[in-house]
Amino acid sequence: MTLPLKKTALAAMLSVAMSVPAFADPIRTINLVTRPQAAQPAEFQFTQLIAQEWRKLGLDVNVEVMPWEQMIQAIWFSRDEWDTTAWQMVGRPERSDPDEIVYNLFHSTTAEKGFNFIGYNNPDYDALVEKQRVALDPDERREIVRAAQTLLAEDQPNMMLAHPKSTYAVNTSVWNADSVVDQSGIGIRNTWSYIQMEPVGDVKDIVLNSSDNVTAINPLYISGGTDSWITELVWDRLMRIGPDGLPQPWAAESYEWVDDTTITVTLRDDMMWHDGKPVTPEDVKFSFEAAGSGEAPMYSPFVNGIADIAIDGMNITFNLSQPSAPFLTASLSKINIIPKHIWESVIEEQKTLETNAESFQEEVPIGSGPYRFSSWTLNEEVVLAANGDHWAAPEAERWILRIVPNVEAALGMLRSGEINFLSDFPGDPTVVVSAAEEDPNLTAVSTVDIGFRYVAFNHRRPPFDDAAFRKALSASVDRRLIVGAAFRGFAVPSNSVVSPALGFWHNESTVEGMTAGVDLAKEMLAEAGYEVVDGQLNYPEGVSETLGE
C-alpha cells in the first residue's frame, strides 16, 4: 500500500511544479533619450507621452535628457550603447527625391558609420531599395518606393511619429514679403530665401535663430540640421533643388545624359573660391572622389555608383556603374564642391589617422558659395558675409545665426527686433501664428515638411532586435495623440519616412491602415511570447537578458 502512496505523492509534486510557468528574464530598464524641454518642447513632450504608454505594457522606462551635442556623441558615435532615442530627419532640399531616405537610412551597408545608425538589416528591403535606384521609368520606380514603405510599416525598424508643419516667421518691415520663398516641403527657411530676400530699409542683415548649437562647418560631414543651413550657403553644388522641389543647374551651366549610365556636366566658367582662386573641373572631380575616399563615410553612399570621372575642358563626364534614377538629386545636388588645393592634403593626412575628414575643421572654411565665412563664436553665433562676386549674389549684406536654446526667448527676440527671421521654433506653433496676427510687421508661414520626427530603436540591443517587440511598442501609441498634444495640430501623423509633401512618392496606405492602443500592443506582445510578471514585462521563454541594467 505504501508504493502507490509514494507514486501518488510524487505525481502531485510534479503536477504542482508543472503548473508554475517557467518565466524568462524580465526586460531591463529601457532608456529613452530626448533633448531638453526648453530647447525642444515638442520632442520632450512626445517622449514623455510615449514613455507613459510603454510603462502600461510593463516596461520600466527612464527618460534621459541630453543636450544635442552630447546626444550626437551618445547615439551617433556610440552605436552599441543606447536603447531608444527621439530623433529627426530634417527636410533637406535634396531629400525631395526619396532615395536618400529609403536607401541610406535603412540599407545594411550604411549601418557601420552611415545613416543607418539603428543597425537595421533586412535583405528583402535592401533588394527593393537597390531596385528603385536603377528603375528609370518614374511610374515603375514609384511602385517600388511605395513597396519599400509598406515593408517598413510592417517591420517597424523605427517608430515613426509625425511630419511637422514647419512654422517660421519673417519681419516684413525689414524684408519684402514677396521676396521670401516658400520652398516645396521645406518652408521659407531655405537657401533661395537667403539669396533673394530684399531689404525694404536700412537693415540689410538677415538675423535668424537656432535652438541647437552648430556642431561643425565641414563640407564632408553631414553633422546636423543647423549645420546644413551654413554648408548650403558657403559651398556650391553642381545642381540645386529649386523651390518646386526639382533639381536645376547651379554650378553646372548645363548637363546632358549621353546614355543611361553617362552624364556630361558643363561647369560655369565664372566661379571663384573665397580665397580668390578659380574653381576648376579638377576641383569638381576631386570633390566627388573625396566623398568616396572612405574619409567621408556619410557622403560615400551618394557617390558609390560612379565608376569614373573624365574631364575635357570645362566638361565633366560621370560614368556610372549602373543606371541611377536619383543621380541628379541624390548626387549632383548633394555633393559640396570643395577646393582641391585645401582638402587634398587633409584627405591624405586623415588616411594615416584613426579619425577621418568628418572630424576636420578649417579655421576659415573656404567655399565658392553665395555667402562666405566671416566668424564663428561657439555657443553664440555664426556670421556669413554676402559674396558679391557670386553669380547669385544675395540681396542681404550678412547672414547672422544666433544660438538661442530657449524657444520663448527666440520669440521674444523676434518681437523686439533682435532677430528678423524666426528660422527655428520647436515650441507651440500657434504662438508664432498668434504673434503674427497681433503684429502687422510679422508674417508666419506653415509648410508640411519633407522631414519627420521619430523614435529610433537600436537593433543591436535586445529586445529591439525583435520585430514583434518593436511593432508592439509602436502600436501602443496613437499618432493623433502625438500630433495634437506635442505638435498642437501643426503636423500630420506618420507611418512612413516619405512625407505626404512628396505626393507622387508617398504611400498613403501606411497611415490609413494604422491601428493603435495599449490593449492592442499587449495582445501583440502576448502573441510573441512576452508576458507580464508582477507588473514587469518579461522576455519570451528561453530568452535571457544579456545587457543588465
Side-chain angles (χ1 to χ4, degrees), residues 19 93 155 194 246 257 318 320 342 392 402 467 502:
S19 69
D155 213 14
Y194 301 146
L246 300 175
W257 282 102
F318 295 87
L320 310 182
I342 291 175
R402 298 266 164 79
L502 305 177

Coordinates of all heavy atoms in Angstrom, one line a residue, residues 19 93 155 194 246 257 318 320 342 392 402 467 502:
S19 N 2.7 23.2 -12.9 CA 1.7 24.3 -13.0 C 2.3 25.7 -12.8 O 1.7 26.7 -13.1 CB 0.6 24.1 -11.9 OG 1.2 24.3 -10.6
P93 N 16.6 70.0 -49.0 CA 16.1 70.0 -50.3 C 16.3 68.8 -51.1 O 15.4 68.3 -51.9 CB 16.7 71.2 -50.9 CG 17.1 72.1 -49.8 CD 17.5 71.2 -48.7
D155 N 7.6 46.1 -40.7 CA 8.7 45.8 -39.9 C 9.0 46.7 -38.7 O 9.6 46.3 -37.7 CB 9.9 45.7 -40.8 CG 10.9 44.6 -40.3 OD1 10.5 43.7 -39.5 OD2 12.0 44.6 -40.8
Y194 N 17.4 83.1 -48.5 CA 18.5 83.8 -48.0 C 19.3 84.6 -49.2 O 20.0 85.5 -48.9 CB 19.5 82.9 -47.3 CG 18.9 82.2 -46.1 CD1 19.2 80.9 -45.8 CD2 17.9 82.8 -45.3 CE1 18.6 80.2 -44.7 CE2 17.3 82.2 -44.3 CZ 17.7 80.9 -44.0 OH 17.1 80.3 -42.9
L246 N 12.4 70.3 -57.6 CA 13.1 69.6 -58.7 C 14.5 70.2 -58.8 O 14.8 71.3 -58.6 CB 12.3 69.8 -60.0 CG 10.9 69.3 -60.0 CD1 10.2 69.6 -61.3 CD2 10.8 67.8 -59.7
W257 N 22.4 63.9 -70.5 CA 22.5 62.5 -70.4 C 23.0 62.0 -71.8 O 22.2 62.1 -72.8 CB 21.2 61.9 -70.0 CG 20.9 62.0 -68.5 CD1 20.1 62.9 -67.9 CD2 21.5 61.2 -67.5 NE1 20.1 62.7 -66.6 CE2 20.9 61.7 -66.3 CE3 22.4 60.2 -67.4 CZ2 21.3 61.1 -65.0 CZ3 22.8 59.6 -66.2 CH2 22.2 60.1 -65.0
F318 N 30.5 62.0 -66.0 CA 30.4 60.9 -64.9 C 29.9 59.6 -65.6 O 28.8 59.6 -66.3 CB 29.3 61.4 -63.9 CG 29.7 62.6 -63.1 CD1 29.4 63.9 -63.6 CD2 30.3 62.4 -61.9 CE1 29.8 65.0 -62.8 CE2 30.7 63.5 -61.1 CZ 30.4 64.8 -61.6
L320 N 28.6 56.0 -64.8 CA 28.1 55.3 -63.7 C 28.2 53.8 -63.9 O 28.1 53.3 -65.1 CB 26.6 55.7 -63.5 CG 26.3 57.2 -63.5 CD1 24.8 57.4 -63.3 CD2 27.1 57.9 -62.5
I342 N 43.1 72.9 -50.9 CA 43.0 72.9 -49.4 C 42.8 71.4 -48.9 O 43.4 71.0 -48.0 CB 41.8 73.8 -48.9 CG1 42.2 75.2 -49.2 CG2 41.5 73.5 -47.5 CD1 41.1 76.2 -48.9
A392 N 24.9 84.5 -58.2 CA 23.6 84.7 -57.5 C 23.9 85.4 -56.2 O 23.5 84.9 -55.1 CB 23.0 83.3 -57.2
R402 N 22.0 83.3 -34.7 CA 22.1 83.4 -33.3 C 21.7 82.1 -32.6 O 20.6 81.6 -33.0 CB 21.3 84.6 -32.7 CG 21.7 85.9 -33.3 CD 22.7 86.6 -32.3 NE 23.4 87.7 -33.0 CZ 22.8 89.0 -33.2 NH1 21.6 89.2 -32.8 NH2 23.6 89.9 -33.8
A467 N 11.4 42.1 -34.1 CA 10.4 42.9 -34.9 C 9.1 42.9 -34.2 O 8.4 44.0 -34.1 CB 10.3 42.4 -36.3
L502 N 5.7 64.9 -50.5 CA 6.1 64.3 -51.7 C 5.0 63.4 -52.2 O 5.1 62.2 -52.2 CB 7.4 63.5 -51.5 CG 8.6 64.3 -50.8 CD1 9.7 63.4 -50.6 CD2 9.0 65.5 -51.7

